[in-house]
């Protein structure tokens, strides 16, 4: 690995040792261990069928790479093990212990356009009693089990338990090219019956991918990734979006949402396919893919043996306005070294591109730069926070993202190799992006009025075997 490529290797963001990574899958805590599965294509940049990679951790910061436990192996997933979720069933194992169920979409392609014909999407399950060894695959739903008005795009099962019953949502694209979510119900999490669907009042994109259900503090939300929304100057700026609809009546009583209530989860260049789970402490934790499907930017510079990473685990809470907040789990704070001041008029030089930068009590305008390549700026008069690349090489095809913001009080910026996450006003908003620094040290420039500005060098080793 070249020195430059080594600089881009994250220390505390999950990234593959080799190949391509995208959607996080099967997130859970099982027998005290956190499990993060993900879409994996180890042969990248050569072509290859996707399976699931697997990371495991006891503390959300030190991870073990357990390889690729799920790969295409039966006719119903012959062309790819696609995204899905995890369900921990208390007492579900034959010996009375807990059982882990993993659900995913098996992809099969034939001749055709692979949208309206030429594809099968099968929902498949495997189980595990230890989180490592997996059972034989069991096909649960086939195309005949879906409503007749759909295209061949039905995928990404999210399964949860509620009130002694089990429920599954699937992302779908209708034959009239409108996206919605299918809802299934089960008594045993194996045999499923179609219950209905959740759709928008008016068409809102042609496909809703990666549905997830967030239930926190008595509030319900449905997370979806709409494809086909028209990009606008201050919203829907990525090729595809990731966000949520609040569900005041609850997930099971909702059949229609108002598309104007859609809230974007992240305003950066690189965020998609988020998945949530509850850990044994009762926290609602979200992890997203720091990437974007089908985007025309250069997602990794030439010669890099791996591509993409995941966000840090974020705890999701509800604000007084009923909207979601995201904040790095407290375990991330344990990676901090000694605090160093950042001059509000000059900045600081940090020895590595691995830092946690915190600004508190911000007043008025702000300008902040990383290596003179990635810039954050806030205009109080315009009410806009901008993330922009000033250096084309570091940008790797990215340009600018704009966040409407009434006021800026706090910023927390996580820098980790080729990953940057910006938390605004203690997680009211987030901007995530990949970048590819060229300097050996991290130069932070800052021009702002703030009560406190400091940074920590972040420790830890790359999360790899």
């Amino acid at each position: 690995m070249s020195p430059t490529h080594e600089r881009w290797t994250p220390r505390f963001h999950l990234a593959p040792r080799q190949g391509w990574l995208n959607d996080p899958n099967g997130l859970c805590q099982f027998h005290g261990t956190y499990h993060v599965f993900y879409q994996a294509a180890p042969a990248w940049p050569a072509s290859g069928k996707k399976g699931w990679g697997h990371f495991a951790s006891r503390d959300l910061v030190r991870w073990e790479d357990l390889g690729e436990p799920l790969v295409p192996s039966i006719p119903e997933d012959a062309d790819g093990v696609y995204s899905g979720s995890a369900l921990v069933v208390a007492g579900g194992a034959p010996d009375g212990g807990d059982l882990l169920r993993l659900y995913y979409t098996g992809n099969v392609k034939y001749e055709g356009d692979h949208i309206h014909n030429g594809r099968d999407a099968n929902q498949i399950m495997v189980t595990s009693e230890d989180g490592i060894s997996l059972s034989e695959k069991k096909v649960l739903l086939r195309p005949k089990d879906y409503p007749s008005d759909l295209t061949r795009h039905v995928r990404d099962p999210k399964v949860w338990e509620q009130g002694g019953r089990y429920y599954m949502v699937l992302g779908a694209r209708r034959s009239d090219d409108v996206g919605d979510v299918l809802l299934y119900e089960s008594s045993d999490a194996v045999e499923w019956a179609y219950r209905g669907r959740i759709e928008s009042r008016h068409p809102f994109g042609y496909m809703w991918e990666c549905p997830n259900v967030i239930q926190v503090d008595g509030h319900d939300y449905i997370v979806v990734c709409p494809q086909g929304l028209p990009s606008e100057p201050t919203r829907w700026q990525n090729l595809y979006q990731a966000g949520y609809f609040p569900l005041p009546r609850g997930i099971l009583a909702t059949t229609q949402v108002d598309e104007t209530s859609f809230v974007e989860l992240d305003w950066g260049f690189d965020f998609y396919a988020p998945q949530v789970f509850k850990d044994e402490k009762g926290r609602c934790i979200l992890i997203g893919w720091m990437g974007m499907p089908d985007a025309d930017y250069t997602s990794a510079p030439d010669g890099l043996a791996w591509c993409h990473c995941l966000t840090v685990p974020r705890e999701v809470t509800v604000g007084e306005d009923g909207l979601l907040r995201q904040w790095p789990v407290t375990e991330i704070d344990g990676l901090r070294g000694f605090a160093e001041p950042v001059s509000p008029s000059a900045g600081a030089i940090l020895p590595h591109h691995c830092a946690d930068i915190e600004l508190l009590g911000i007043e008025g305008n702000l300008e902040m730069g990383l290596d003179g390549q990635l810039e954050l700026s806030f205009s109080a008069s315009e009410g806009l926070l901008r993330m922009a690349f000033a250096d084309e090489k570091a940008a790797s095809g990215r340009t600018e993202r704009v966040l409407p913001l009434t006021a800026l009080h706090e910023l927390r910026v996580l820098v980790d190799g080729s990953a940057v996450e910006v938390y605004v006003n203690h997680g009211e908003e987030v901007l995530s992006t990949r970048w590819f620094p060229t300097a050996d040290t991290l130069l932070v420039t800052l021009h702002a009025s703030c009560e406190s500005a400091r940074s920590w060098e972040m420790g830890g080793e790359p999360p790899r075997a």
Side-chain angles (χ1 to χ4, degrees), residues 224-271:
V224 295
C225 293
Q227 297 182 331
L229 300 183
S231 179
E232 297 183 6
T234 57
R235 66 173 183 173
W236 310 342
Q237 296 165 76
N238 283 330
L239 181 61
Y240 304 135
Q241 318 312 317
Y244 64 91
F245 294 102
L247 305 178
R249 299 175 57 228
I251 179 71
L252 301 182
T254 301
T255 58
Q256 188 179 81
V257 293
D258 184 344
E259 63 278 0
T260 64
S261 68
F262 181 74
V263 182
E264 293 184 63
L265 276 165
D266 193 297
W267 293 75
F269 296 92
D270 296 284
F271 182 86

Side-chain angles (χ1 to χ4, degrees), residues 20 22 39-51 68 72 78-82 109:
W20 172 282
N22 59 292
Q39 285 273 275
W44 180 91
S47 60
K49 298 175 181 178
K50 288 185 179 179
E68 192 181 7
D79 291 298
V81 173
Y82 279 21
K109 293 182 178 180

